[in-house]
């Protein structure tokens, strides 16, 4: 069995994509939508051809991944309230096992006329993490997006705000290929809003 890392990819191409995510998390430029489309093309190439791809590893053909059109309305600034002690939690995995994560902070934001909050996690004992992990469900889950939830890796540069760019929301590997063990978003990370942004459900037909 393979475990999905919190970091998006582990290949050389993955480092390029990770850098793109960091850049897109900052103030968007005039070519914001184009930059996102470019990142998605690179991800498709990774999934189809890279030895680290779950498709290549399993010998499964990769169809093109599908996405919502980039929408700056889903790039949000959220108020960040850190946990004082970084309490750890046992996050349930899709195979029924559990994995330990640290509660890093709660992000509060407004969307579609409502107020929402999501818990952001990090690796245990890492109180100044460079890699933050935000798994979530929304009203599109099991409809137009993967039923097991989607992930964000928000970039945090300090202060009491953080950018949540849902255009960068992506599926765990278990959405594509059987046999991968992936974290399920905790119950408190289900929001009553349609996040029509980021990656859609993977379809083989």
């Amino acid at each position: 069995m393979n475990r999905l890392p919190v970091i998006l990819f582990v290949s050389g191409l993955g480092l390029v994509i990770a850098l793109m995510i960091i850049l897109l998390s900052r103030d968007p430029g005039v070519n914001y939508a184009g930059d996102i489309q470019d990142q998605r093309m690179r991800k498709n190439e990774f999934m189809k051809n890279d030895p680290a791809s779950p498709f290549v590893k399993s010998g499964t053909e990769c169809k093109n991944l599908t996405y919502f059109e980039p929408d700056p309305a889903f790039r949000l600034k959220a108020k960040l309230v850190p946990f004082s002690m970084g309490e750890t939690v046992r996050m349930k995995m899709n195979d029924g096992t559990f994995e330990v994560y640290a509660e890093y902070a709660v992000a509060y934001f407004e969307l579609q006329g409502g107020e929402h909050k999501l818990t952001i996690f990090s690796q245990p004992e890492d109180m100044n993490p460079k890699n933050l992990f935000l798994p979530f469900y929304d009203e599109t889950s099991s409809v137009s997006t993967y039923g097991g939830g989607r992930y964000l890796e928000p970039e945090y540069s300090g202060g009491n705000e953080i950018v949540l760019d849902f255009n960068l929301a992506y599926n765990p590997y278990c959405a594509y290929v059987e046999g991968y063990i992936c974290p399920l978003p905790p119950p408190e990370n289900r929001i009553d809003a349609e996040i029509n942004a980021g990656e859609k459900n993977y379809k083989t037909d």
Side-chain angles (χ1 to χ4, degrees):
M1 302 288 277
N2 298 285
R3 288 191 177 273
L4 174 70
V6 170
I7 296 177
L8 183 58
F9 300 128
V10 293
S11 68
L13 176 59
L15 296 177
V16 175
I17 296 175
L19 177 60
M20 181 71 73
I21 289 176
I22 292 173
L23 294 174
L24 289 172
S25 296
R26 299 171 182 168
D27 289 339
V30 294
N31 198 33
Y32 173 71
D35 289 342
I36 289 179
Q37 297 288 20
D38 181 65
Q39 184 254 20
R40 291 172 177 179
M41 290 177 61
R42 290 174 181 269
K43 183 175 178 179
N44 269 324
E45 286 301 312
F46 168 86
M47 288 295 189
K48 290 181 177 181
N49 301 311
D50 197 285
S53 161
F55 294 98
V56 175
K57 283 185 174 181
S58 64
T60 306
E61 180 184 6
C62 175
K63 308 291 185 180
N64 281 335
L65 310 185
T66 59
Y67 300 87
F68 294 98
E69 288 297 315
D71 185 349
F74 286 101
R75 183 185 183 277
L76 309 170
K77 287 187 177 181
K79 179 182 177 181
L80 194 70
V81 179
F83 285 92
S84 58
M85 297 299 292
E87 295 291 336
T88 59
V89 296
R90 295 172 70 242
M91 194 175 298
K92 189 173 183 179
M93 313 296 280
N94 66 316
D95 68 342
T97 61
F98 292 85
E99 194 166 281
V100 176
Y101 285 82
E103 293 180 320
Y104 183 73
V106 177
Y108 295 85
F109 58 97
E110 294 184 2
L111 179 65
Q112 299 172 354
E115 296 183 354
H116 308 278
K117 65 178 182 178
L118 290 169
T119 300
I120 299 173
F121 300 89
S122 65
Q123 292 296 316
E125 302 179 359
D126 185 0
M127 296 308 298
N128 295 291
K130 295 181 179 179
N131 298 300
L132 296 176
F133 180 49
L134 174 52
F136 70 95
Y137 295 113
D138 67 278
E139 292 297 305
T140 70
S141 301
S142 297
V143 182
S144 56
T145 63
Y146 180 54
R150 293 182 289 167
Y151 301 160
L152 275 181
E153 293 170 10
E155 176 73 8
Y156 178 52
S157 56
N160 60 359
E161 286 189 341
I162 191 168
V163 173
L164 304 181
D165 192 342
F166 289 102
N167 292 290
L168 304 178
Y170 67 94
N171 291 335
Y173 282 5
C174 50
Y176 311 124
V177 178
E178 291 185 3
Y180 277 83
I181 303 173
C182 309
L184 297 174
E188 65 268 24
N189 272 17
R190 180 182 294 275
I191 59 175
D192 297 327
E194 291 187 1
I195 306 295
N196 293 307
E199 189 171 355
K200 293 183 178 181
N201 201 10
Y202 180 69
K203 296 182 179 179
T204 58
D205 53 6

